[in-house]
Amino acid sequence: MKKLINDPADVVSDALRGIEAAHPGRLRVDHRHKLVVRADAPVAGKVGLVSGGGSGHEPLHAGYVGPGMLDAACCGEVFTSPVPEQIMAATTAVDGGAGVLHIVKNYTGDVMNFEMAAEQARAESGVRVEAVVVADDVAVQDSLYTAGRRGVGATVLVEKIVGAAAAQGRDLDSVAELARRVAGAGRSMGVALTSGIVPHAGTATFDIADDELEIGIGIHGEPGRGRVPMAPARQIAAMLVEPILADRDFTSGPVIALLNGMGGTPLIELYLMYGEVAALLERAGVRVARCLVGDYVTSLEMAGCSLTLLAADEEMLALWDAPVDTPGLHWGSEGVGTSSGPAPADSTIAGPGSPAEAAASESAASHAPVEGSASEPTGAPASEPTGASASEPTGASASEPTGAPASEGTASAAAWTLDVAAAHAWLADFAARVHANVDLLTDLDRQIGDADHGANMDRGMRAVAALLVQDFADAAALLKKAGMTLVSTVGGASGPLYGTFFLRLAAALPDGAPGSPGVDARAFGAALRAGYDGVVARGKAQEGDKTMLDALAPALRAYDEAVGRGAAAAFEAATAAANAGRDATIPLVARKGRASYLGERSVGHQDPGATSAALLLESAAATLGR
């Protein structure tokens, strides 16, 4: 892997410093929460627009912050959704009194984290929050048995059109209604010639031969819905156009077209592709009124392109033509075409000293900076979790997790209780096992996802391990703090799911006050069940969907059946069942999460979430069951 980076763990933080240096007076950066905010936010009386997602798609989303588009962008780790704390901070930063709209791409982690942040914002600050979910990728067949269509290129069009409406002073209800209308009118399809390389993974997310083409790819480097022999551009153009036109009628009105590069394709090839696409659309009776060609939603250095068509109307065209001043899109009312032909999209950024830059600087000077600075910490300490070293080999096979040295447990079969020391040992051991198996978890996720599960879980459990030097009143307090920490540090779907598991588990534990019933093995089993139920409610999945539930569900059944023989027997049975459930995910078709986009191509691969869940049960057996 050759990249222009320092440490793979610091890519997003380092890039944000670059954004801040490149656009002084126009944008400000909250380094603590990893936000990019327009310099004059909040704008009084204006609906605030917040979007975000994993980094690696630039200029989406940070490049679209500024007048006429977004008020703030939340920058998650590479290909990992932002956490609720980030989204909450962005929502607060842009609330000018007229409410805030969240624009969310339809990925499981994005949706869950934005939902949690909206709930928190309503409860804690009283700000009114609405959300629109963009789901435009026709490569994914929308179904009750999948996560639904991915949000891809139409996200840019939603942010531009809705940004113009918000700038006009429209209220939250009308802005949200317009956003849903635009999102519903867009369709996209993508192809890839090569995969991207996630910095912390160091290898391509999927392997593809020089004479092959991946059809139906998303924007996270995950494989598409099929693979075909490499073909001339005119044939590839048909592979993009035909599925889109088959999914919706685009002949009844004007269309906005986006021919988007995935990050590694030269502009000359993108224009060549647009020429082929335009010819096909003309023959099909589609009238392109506006178009963009270039890199607008990328997937690191992936070579390939995507096509997005939006069935527009005159209102949408007028809002598209409205002035916009962001690093990624920049044009004014002068020179923007209003005829039926494509409008020129001058992407030149106003440089320092220009009138636009000076005006932004004056506006920024009258507002306090967003909380956070370059010198403030951005996450958990990078210290090694207990029992593991970054340099130690795991010795794991492709599917068998490596064990970690167990901390001294406090359980006995005769009179088992859960106390702070036991909970401490469990969390420390789980952190060590995750760290020892980070490469395995990454590789499993690379095969059917976006290669971030290992790094995300390791980051979260490092943060949990850092908590263990603190004093807690009881096990419930420690496990609650662990859950909150995972929600705020992991990102993706795993943060809300594992965080919810520990939060619900902690809430279900008996009161630790003097004289109250202790946490015996049966009470702990009930608390585990509460944690499981929380995961089901949060993720809307069930056993058999090829998720972490496929390890947790059989583990809890086995625990309940064996608990009468004592805690040690219960944890041993639960671990064996979790490992069997993990292995049983291999022949399953994924029906939830990012792997569900692959359909039948997910068969034959072990689920990374079930693998980390099995590690959680192994840690419980090694510590709580001793």
Side-chain angles (χ1 to χ4, degrees):
M1 177 183 74
K2 292 195 292 186
K3 288 180 178 287
L4 299 175
I5 63 175
N6 298 310
D7 188 321
D10 298 331
V11 168
V12 177
S13 298
D14 289 350
L16 287 173
R17 282 194 288 274
I19 289 174
E20 184 177 47
H23 306 292
R26 300 177 67 200
L27 304 175
R28 65 185 196 263
V29 175
D30 175 345
H31 292 277
R32 175 186 172 190
H33 295 107
K34 296 182 180 176
L35 309 177
V36 176
V37 186
R38 58 183 282 181
D40 58 350
V43 179
K46 175 189 171 299
V47 172
L49 299 186
V50 173
S51 192
S55 298
H57 307 304
E58 289 71 25
L60 191 81
H61 295 273
Y64 300 134
V65 174
M69 284 191 82
L70 298 176
D71 294 277
C74 308
C75 304
E77 296 299 323
V78 174
F79 291 174
T80 301
S81 66
V83 300
E85 182 180 354
Q86 290 177 272
I87 302 164
M88 175 66 176
T91 301
T92 302
V94 306
D95 177 25
V100 176
L101 178 69
H102 290 170
I103 300 173
V104 187
K105 301 188 302 301
N106 189 37
Y107 296 94
T108 303
D110 292 60
V111 171
M112 283 194 289
N113 282 284
F114 270 91
E115 283 180 348
M116 294 179 75
E119 293 168 3
Q120 182 181 0
R122 297 183 190 109
E124 295 184 6
S125 65
V127 61
R128 187 176 171 214
V129 177
E130 292 289 335
V132 59
V133 176
V134 182
D136 55 305
D137 184 8
V138 301
V140 177
Q141 298 300 314
D142 195 4
S143 166
L144 293 176
Y145 302 106
T146 72
R149 289 180 167 174
R150 296 172 288 208
V152 286
T155 310
V156 179
L157 310 186
V158 172
E159 291 176 356
K160 170 61 186 80
I161 292 171
V162 175
Q168 292 177 349
R170 300 190 190 186
D171 64 26
L172 181 58
D173 288 334
S174 63
V175 170
E177 187 278 330
L178 174 66
R180 296 184 182 104
R181 189 154 52 89
V182 176
R187 299 291 187 274
S188 297
M189 182 71 176
V191 298
L193 285 66
T194 66
S195 172
I197 300 174
V198 178
H200 61 251
T203 58
T205 303
F206 62 85
D207 299 318
I208 186 168
D210 289 343
D211 60 351
E212 292 181 321
L213 181 72
E214 192 80 14
I215 302 294
I217 50 91
I219 60 173
H220 294 91
E222 68 269 38
R225 70 177 184 182
R227 189 165 291 186
V228 299
M230 189 62 191
R234 64 178 58 91
Q235 294 180 24
I236 297 173
M239 297 176 195
L240 297 175
V241 171
E242 290 172 1
I244 293 176
L245 298 187
D247 196 78
R248 181 189 171 99
D249 176 32
F250 286 91
T251 62
S252 59
V255 167
I256 299 175
L258 168 62
L259 196 288
N260 172 65
M262 302 306 297
T265 299
L267 190 57
I268 189 172
E269 295 180 24
L270 296 179
Y271 274 115
L272 187 155
M273 280 295 300
Y274 184 72
E276 299 294 343
V277 165
L280 291 172
L281 293 177
E282 183 177 9
R283 286 199 292 271
V286 176
R287 179 171 67 90
V288 177
R290 305 287 187 273
C291 72
L292 285 178
V293 175
D295 288 350
Y296 294 96
V297 186
T298 61
S299 183
L300 295 172
E301 69 270 56
M302 176 185 280
C305 65
S306 64
L307 173 66
T308 299
L309 298 182
L310 175 68
D313 54 30
E314 294 306 318
E315 178 192 21
M316 293 180 192
L317 290 183
L319 292 169
W320 179 260
D321 292 342
V324 59
D325 183 18
T326 73
L329 284 182
H330 176 85
W331 61 72
S333 57
E334 295 181 3
V336 176
T338 56
S339 67
S340 60
D346 179 8
S347 60
T348 303
I349 300 169
S354 69
E357 192 74 22
S361 298
E362 291 175 7
S363 178
S366 64
H367 291 273
V370 176
E371 179 184 359
S373 68
S375 62
E376 290 180 333
T378 59
S383 57
E384 294 292 331
T386 304
S389 167
S391 62
E392 291 176 350
T394 65
S397 68
S399 59
E400 295 177 355
T402 299
S407 305
E408 285 298 322
T410 61
S412 70
W416 186 91
T417 59
L418 179 73
D419 56 18
V420 176
H424 183 292
W426 182 27
L427 293 173
D429 190 85
F430 183 43
R433 288 176 191 270
V434 167
H435 188 71
N437 288 281
V438 65
D439 290 341
L440 168 63
L441 296 174
T442 296
D443 186 61
L444 292 174
D445 197 35
R446 182 184 68 83
Q447 296 170 33
I448 56 174
D450 53 5
D452 66 351
H453 187 61
N456 290 350
M457 288 299 298
D458 190 39
R459 181 174 60 253
M461 289 311 300
R462 282 172 178 261
V464 170
L467 297 173
L468 301 181
V469 299
Q470 303 177 24
D471 293 327
F472 292 89
D474 53 29
L478 172 55
L479 294 173
K480 177 181 178 181
K481 185 64 174 178
M484 294 170 62
T485 300
L486 291 172
V487 169
S488 65
T489 58
V490 174
S494 298
L497 294 176
Y498 272 98
T500 296
F501 176 82
F502 280 108
L503 288 170
R504 295 289 183 90
L505 185 158
L509 292 174
D511 189 352
S516 62
V519 184
D520 61 17
R522 292 188 185 278
F524 186 69
L528 288 173
R529 175 66 61 182
Y532 173 88
D533 290 343
V535 173
V536 171
R538 178 65 66 186
K540 301 177 177 62
Q542 59 187 0
E543 186 178 1
D545 284 345
K546 199 176 181 112
T547 71
M548 64 188 294
L549 298 181
D550 292 305
L552 291 178
L556 296 189
R557 288 195 295 269
Y559 183 99
D560 290 341
E561 292 171 1
V563 72
R565 303 196 303 273
F571 285 115
E572 181 180 357
T575 298
N579 288 336
R582 172 202 67 201
D583 296 343
T585 64
I586 294 174
L588 295 179
V589 176
R591 298 192 297 192
K592 291 293 181 182
R594 195 157 289 167
S596 68
Y597 303 136
L598 302 183
E600 295 291 337
R601 297 182 76 188
S602 63
V603 172
H605 299 282
Q606 183 173 303
D607 182 67
T611 304
S612 60
L615 292 175
L616 179 67
L617 271 299
E618 288 181 4
S619 289
T623 55
L624 306 182
R626 292 177 63 183

